[in-house]
Amino acid sequence: MALASTPKVVLGCVAFAIFWVLAVFPSVPFMPVGRTAGSLLGAMLMVLFHVMTPEEAYAAIDLPILGLLFGTMVVSIFLERADMFKYLGSMLSWKSRGSKDLLFRVCVVSAVASALFTNDTTCVVLTEFILKVARQNNLPPQPFLLALASSSNIGSAATPIGNPQNLVIAVESGISFGQFLLGVFPAMIVGILANTCILLCYFWRYLSVERDHEGGAAHGPEVVADEEVTSHRFTPARMSHASSVNGDSDCISEPIRRSESMNRADALRSRSYNSEGDIQVAIRSLRASSMSREMVEVSTVLDRRDDGAGGPRKITRSTSHQRSVIIEDAADQPDANGGFNDGEKEKDDEVISKQRRWKVLVWKYAVYLTTLGMLVALLLGLNMSWTAITAALILLALDFTDAQACLEKVSYSLLIFFCGMFITVDGFNRTGIPNTLWELVEPYARIDSPKGVVLLAVVILVLSNVASNVPTVLLLGTRVAASAAAISPASEKKAWLILAWVSTVAGNLTLLGSAANLIVCEQARRAQFFGYNLTFWSHLRFGVPSTIIITAIGLLIVISY
């Protein structure tokens, strides 16, 4: 494809540059609008500058990718509600044999979770838990945070649903879920083991000595109670305390209410009714007066005495604002109105509680089975977008509640960001600049030679950290595949897998290389009482050697597939 006209090239580059700056640096001083608005701005400029027509802009939006992304988001939300991540987190501290064993578990659990539930979701729900476990054991948080971020990126490379760039590759290449898994999963396993070894070597001295202080008092308490760790709920915006759904009446202790009512009962003993008929008369008068007046207060006291022995006594106080019933020394038998006493009510509450627990358990198993069915369908080669959407709709139907609460948790800003990015990248491709640059590199970056594979990996690695991994895949994907298709059909599939592996692992190079890295950094910094600041340079010192070694090892395995 030749270069377009000069005005089109210049204006297209301006629009893409604005998109790139706002996507990589979403809080720039002159326009802090964020990534989503930045992608829409780039798409709008492509149309306003006549780089592409509105019809071409609409056609550039890849609906299958959006559908697959939406479906996996909904499934992840239901898995979080079903405590899947809570069970994964409990695996970290269950019978742990020390700091090194804990580090290994963090690497494995985060990698497996990212392959099934995306790396961003895994980092959101596990960062705070890992911080608590590290503080509880008086361990430095830095090795475990780096283990979570790096292992999540590596693990997400194994499946098409592990990260957004793999979603794009899976849809555009037509590679089935099973073929993708077979091609990258061995590299992921070896990469996780290598990453764990690098972490152990890098932090061996810190993990071998228990430290009493980590970063001073600003980082919060070092020891966290066991019950706080085990009761942690994996939600990004978890409340520090639970609020009552029944109002203030649930927060009042029973002894206080009993004492207050007894004091009033002693003052009202002169107004007692000694027969059931008097009680009915009082009730009818209460109902009649409540219809004529808005504020009614009737107090009824029943005091039964059995031949000088202290028998059951019932005191009832009713107002327009609240009703409280105190039963003292009552036997487990129906009262005068045919109701049951506290003993029977406790039994009923216990039965209802058991029924609710069974309903929750059945619902959890339904969520797990639906997710398992989705994975089986993907392995069988069914359409990935419609499979994910179908699983999401089944879970929404099985919830038997209004779906609005769950759908509100879907990251629609990410979906809109993808729409704008599709349009912006397609407009930049129409300028002819990416194709011209690729023609200069393509003769030396063919995958039929070791030097070509190394050069291709370097290009992908650099672009993924400069322009982000998803735009890199959109810019290079079809060109790399077309170059490899000229060699053989098997080489084309291998080129897509190389692109998936390198663009994903490249996110470990710097703190800004992957959204998962930024999520871990922000979640750790904002964690209440035990926050930790993971700096850019501390990540870079580990990220550079780890990325280079793991990329090279994985390439050898993917090429041999």
Side-chain angles (χ1 to χ4, degrees):
M1 178 180 178
L3 283 174
S5 61
T6 302
K8 190 174 182 179
V9 170
V10 173
L11 294 176
C13 290
V14 170
F16 184 79
I18 293 175
F19 158 77
W20 179 82
V21 171
L22 294 178
V24 178
F25 308 103
S27 298
V28 291
F30 61 88
M31 192 179 292
V33 296
R35 292 186 175 90
T36 301
S39 69
L40 291 178
L41 179 60
M44 181 192 68
L45 292 177
M46 287 292 181
V47 176
L48 292 180
F49 291 161
H50 298 286
V51 178
M52 59 195 310
T53 64
E55 290 76 15
E56 292 172 341
Y58 286 125
I61 299 176
D62 201 324
L63 292 179
I65 294 176
L66 296 179
L68 181 56
L69 190 59
F70 171 80
T72 53
M73 283 182 184
V74 175
V75 173
S76 297
I77 290 170
F78 274 92
L79 286 172
E80 182 181 351
R81 286 181 56 195
D83 295 331
M84 171 59 74
F85 292 100
K86 177 181 177 181
Y87 301 142
L88 289 176
S90 64
M91 296 174 59
L92 298 176
S93 56
W94 182 68
K95 294 184 179 180
S96 178
R97 298 183 178 179
S99 57
K100 301 176 183 63
D101 177 48
L102 182 61
L103 185 69
F104 176 76
R105 293 189 186 193
V106 170
C107 292
V108 174
V109 170
S110 58
V112 173
S114 298
L116 298 177
F117 316 121
T118 75
N119 53 352
D120 294 349
T121 302
T122 300
C123 291
V124 166
V125 298
L126 289 184
T127 299
E128 189 175 349
F129 185 89
I130 288 175
L131 272 175
K132 287 182 178 181
V133 173
R135 295 295 190 183
Q136 180 190 19
N137 293 277
N138 292 329
L139 296 172
Q142 183 182 354
F144 302 97
L145 294 177
L146 289 174
L148 173 63
S150 58
S151 299
S152 296
N153 288 326
I154 298 171
S156 67
T159 62
I161 60 175
N163 53 60
Q165 62 268 22
N166 281 9
L167 297 177
V168 176
I169 292 173
V171 173
E172 291 192 356
S173 66
I175 299 176
S176 66
F177 189 94
Q179 291 176 334
F180 198 105
L181 187 65
L182 291 175
V184 185
F185 184 75
M188 185 271 280
I189 294 296
V190 178
I192 288 298
L193 295 177
N195 188 59
T196 306
C197 293
I198 295 172
L199 284 166
L200 289 174
C201 294
Y202 194 84
F203 295 102
W204 185 272
R205 181 169 60 89
Y206 298 94
L207 297 175
S208 299
V209 180
E210 291 188 1
R211 300 168 61 179
D212 294 332
H213 300 282
E214 172 62 30
H219 292 161
E222 296 294 328
V223 179
V224 182
D226 291 337
E227 59 270 14
E228 184 181 1
V229 175
T230 56
S231 63
H232 174 69
R233 300 291 299 178
F234 298 96
T235 52
R238 185 172 60 90
M239 296 294 291
S240 59
H241 59 276
S243 59
S244 173
V245 296
N246 295 327
D248 294 336
S249 60
D250 291 338
C251 302
I252 302 175
S253 62
E254 184 64 25
I256 296 177
R257 287 186 293 182
R258 182 180 295 271
S259 176
E260 179 184 357
S261 300
M262 284 297 298
N263 292 334
R264 294 190 180 186
D266 293 337
L268 295 173
R269 285 186 183 277
S270 60
R271 299 176 57 190
S272 60
Y273 297 90
N274 297 323
S275 66
E276 299 293 337
D278 293 336
I279 296 176
Q280 298 299 329
V281 172
I283 293 175
R284 284 196 296 269
S285 64
L286 172 61
R287 292 175 179 173
S289 60
S290 63
M291 296 178 64
S292 60
R293 294 182 304 173
E294 294 181 358
M295 303 296 292
V296 177
E297 183 172 355
V298 176
S299 300
T300 303
V301 179
L302 177 62
D303 189 8
R304 293 183 179 178
R305 300 175 175 84
D306 296 340
D307 299 332
R313 183 172 68 254
K314 180 178 181 180
I315 302 170
T316 304
R317 179 173 61 85
S318 301
T319 67
S320 60
H321 297 288
Q322 65 178 0
R323 294 180 180 180
S324 60
V325 178
I326 295 90
I327 301 176
E328 301 179 4
D329 303 328
D332 293 341
Q333 59 184 4
D335 58 14
N337 295 325
F340 291 93
N341 52 33
D342 282 346
E344 293 295 334
K345 288 180 180 179
E346 290 179 358
K347 293 180 180 179
D348 293 341
D349 291 341
E350 184 178 356
V351 172
I352 294 174
S353 178
K354 288 182 179 180
Q355 292 177 351
R356 289 178 179 175
R357 286 197 295 267
W358 273 105
K359 288 181 180 179
V360 171
L361 186 62
V362 171
W363 178 81
K364 285 184 178 182
Y365 278 112
V367 173
Y368 299 153
L369 290 176
T370 303
T371 306
L372 183 60
M374 181 191 74
L375 296 176
V376 172
L378 293 175
L379 287 173
L380 293 177
L382 298 181
N383 184 279
M384 286 188 285
S385 298
W386 282 107
T387 299
I389 293 175
T390 302
L393 293 177
I394 291 174
L395 291 176
L396 290 172
L398 289 176
D399 203 28
F400 290 103
T401 58
D402 188 358
Q404 181 179 357
C406 286
L407 294 179
E408 285 177 350
K409 295 183 179 181
V410 174
S411 180
Y412 294 103
S413 60
L414 180 60
L415 298 177
I416 296 174
F417 171 80
F418 266 75
C419 292
M421 182 180 61
F422 287 143
I423 298 173
T424 306
V425 172
D426 187 69
F428 186 60
N429 281 328
R430 292 177 183 274
T431 63
I433 293 179
N435 192 66
T436 301
L437 295 176
W438 175 249
E439 287 178 353
L440 298 175
V441 178
E442 192 269 340
Y444 310 100
R446 299 172 65 88
I447 65 171
D448 56 350
S449 66
K451 292 182 179 179
V453 173
V454 172
L455 180 59
L456 178 62
V458 171
V459 170
I460 298 172
L461 189 68
V462 173
L463 280 180
S464 295
N465 281 273
V466 172
S468 187
N469 41 28
V470 179
T472 297
V473 169
L474 292 173
L475 289 172
L476 292 180
T478 54
R479 295 174 175 85
V480 172
S483 175
I487 302 173
S488 66
S491 298
E492 180 182 3
K493 182 171 68 174
K494 190 178 298 183
W496 282 111
L497 297 179
I498 291 174
L499 181 62
W501 173 255
V502 179
S503 64
T504 301
V505 179
N508 288 335
L509 187 68
T510 66
L511 188 63
L512 303 177
S514 171
N517 298 344
L518 296 175
I519 289 172
V520 171
C521 179
E522 287 301 308
Q523 290 281 95
R525 184 175 62 86
R526 296 178 181 179
Q528 190 177 14
F529 303 124
F530 45 85
Y532 183 85
N533 185 23
L534 183 64
T535 64
F536 177 87
W537 296 109
S538 62
H539 186 283
L540 186 67
R541 286 193 295 268
F542 164 77
V544 171
S546 173
T547 303
I548 294 175
I549 294 173
I550 294 171
T551 301
I553 294 175
L555 276 177
L556 295 175
I557 298 175
V558 173
I559 291 174
S560 62
Y561 170 66

